[in-house]
Amino acid sequence: MVYMFLKRYVVGPLVNVAFRPEVRGLEHVPSEGPAILASNHLSVSDSVFMPVAVPRQVFFLAKSDYFNSPGLKGRVMAAFFRAINQIPMDRSGGRASATSLSNGGRKLQEGQLLGIYPEGTRSPDGRMYKGKIGVARLALETGAPVVPIAMVGTDKVQPIGARVPLPRSRARVATIFGEPLDFSRYRGRQGEHALLREVTDEIMRAIQALSGQVSVDVYAAEHKKRLTEQKRQETKQAAAELVGTAKDRARTAAQTARHAADSLTHRDRPTAADDDASGTTAP
């Protein structure tokens, strides 16, 4: 109820007036029955623009951090995300992630639309990263068709770090829906890892064909970890260089001070001529 109210009377009108997003291929989203809406992930605002474009309610697998934040603010945020059909997704792997996917699977079995970002996290640089096999597991477990989706321009209106999306004169947002992918012939084979990988890769190729992104054969989360470690090492190196520079300057200053002191001492010390002169002076 909250979801559809916000979509129809608050968020939807605001988004359409402020951003004038383009929507293509909406006819590929089934008007009834289950479907997996698999999208690339460029921005937090992907979860705003895509649902606004779809007439039906969309349930999303959202990272569990949105539901576990402490304090009053955290409780309010968790209540809001539940009210707008977000399903907590534990991304730590193993049993916790499997349980989260099962929650999504139940929504599909109820005939709902389920939105998922196979990359698992936002792209840090606009490229498309390797998809995780959860999307394939859901497709093979439920038999639901997969609708590939390309979000375009959302990273321009809300870059990483920006609190809210803002209209920008040169940034155009588009949501492009591709033809559904049918994997029902593999239904019940979600335990075959090689098949899950093959299906996931096919889904990612379909999304990439719509988005035109450069594809990278590495997980986005792993790339982000490497970037974080690289930044940490660069910061550490810069700090070491700064300390080294400070030491060099201090050493140079100390040497300059010693040379100055030696010069003053040498200048003030009596010479032999001074001694001779003082010895011949008549009293």
Side-chain angles (χ1 to χ4, degrees):
M1 183 180 295
V2 174
Y3 175 97
M4 293 306 291
F5 175 83
L6 291 175
K7 171 184 164 57
R8 289 174 178 170
Y9 303 111
V10 182
V11 179
L14 180 62
V15 164
N16 288 326
V17 170
F19 297 93
R20 301 182 183 277
E22 179 184 359
V23 179
R24 283 184 269 163
L26 188 58
E27 67 276 9
H28 296 310
V29 179
S31 58
E32 59 182 18
I36 299 169
L37 307 183
S39 173
N40 61 334
H41 200 11
L42 299 174
S43 168
V44 172
S45 62
D46 293 335
S47 297
V48 175
F49 287 99
M50 191 262 275
V52 164
V54 179
R56 297 174 59 189
Q57 291 192 37
V58 181
F59 292 79
F60 270 96
L61 287 174
K63 64 179 180 179
S64 57
D65 297 359
Y66 294 146
F67 302 84
N68 301 327
S69 299
L72 178 60
K73 181 179 178 181
R75 291 196 295 273
V76 171
M77 183 168 65
F80 172 75
F81 277 105
R82 288 191 178 93
I84 60 172
N85 300 340
Q86 305 287 308
I87 303 171
M89 176 66 195
D90 191 310
R91 300 185 296 182
S92 61
R95 182 175 297 178
S97 295
T99 300
S100 299
L101 286 173
S102 295
N103 291 334
R106 279 194 287 273
K107 290 299 178 184
L108 291 170
Q109 290 169 353
E110 293 170 4
Q112 305 288 354
L113 296 178
L114 181 71
I116 187 171
Y117 301 111
E119 292 168 280
T121 186
R122 286 170 291 168
S123 170
D125 52 19
R127 297 184 295 176
M128 176 173 289
Y129 285 81
K130 189 175 181 179
K132 295 188 175 183
I133 61 174
V135 62
R137 181 173 282 115
L138 283 169
L140 271 58
E141 179 182 327
T142 64
V146 179
V147 179
I149 302 172
M151 301 304 303
V152 179
T154 52
D155 55 334
K156 302 298 188 299
V157 298
Q158 189 180 11
I160 292 177
R163 289 183 176 274
V164 294
L166 295 173
R168 305 182 193 281
S169 59
R170 296 185 179 180
R172 296 292 297 176
V173 174
T175 305
I176 307 171
F177 299 89
E179 294 184 10
L181 303 174
D182 181 9
F183 300 105
S184 58
R185 62 191 180 280
Y186 300 133
R187 188 168 186 177
R189 296 175 59 185
Q190 62 268 21
E192 300 179 27
H193 187 274
L195 179 59
L196 292 175
R197 183 74 265 161
E198 179 184 336
V199 169
T200 301
D201 290 344
E202 183 176 341
I203 293 170
M204 299 309 293
R205 285 194 296 270
I207 297 173
Q208 191 273 337
L210 297 171
S211 70
Q213 293 169 272
V214 173
S215 183
V216 185
D217 191 25
V218 64
Y219 292 114
E222 292 180 357
H223 183 64
K224 285 183 176 181
K225 286 181 181 179
R226 284 200 291 268
L227 289 177
T228 300
E229 178 60 23
Q230 180 181 346
K231 187 174 181 179
R232 189 184 72 82
Q233 291 294 338
E234 290 175 352
T235 301
K236 184 177 179 180
Q237 182 179 351
E241 290 176 353
L242 185 62
V243 171
T245 300
K247 286 182 178 179
D248 290 342
R249 288 178 178 175
R251 190 180 300 112
T252 301
Q255 291 174 349
T256 301
R258 283 198 298 271
H259 291 158
D262 291 344
S263 297
L264 289 173
T265 301
H266 180 74
R267 187 181 65 186
D268 293 340
R269 184 182 300 154
T271 62
D274 293 336
D275 291 341
D276 291 342
S278 61
T280 58
T281 300

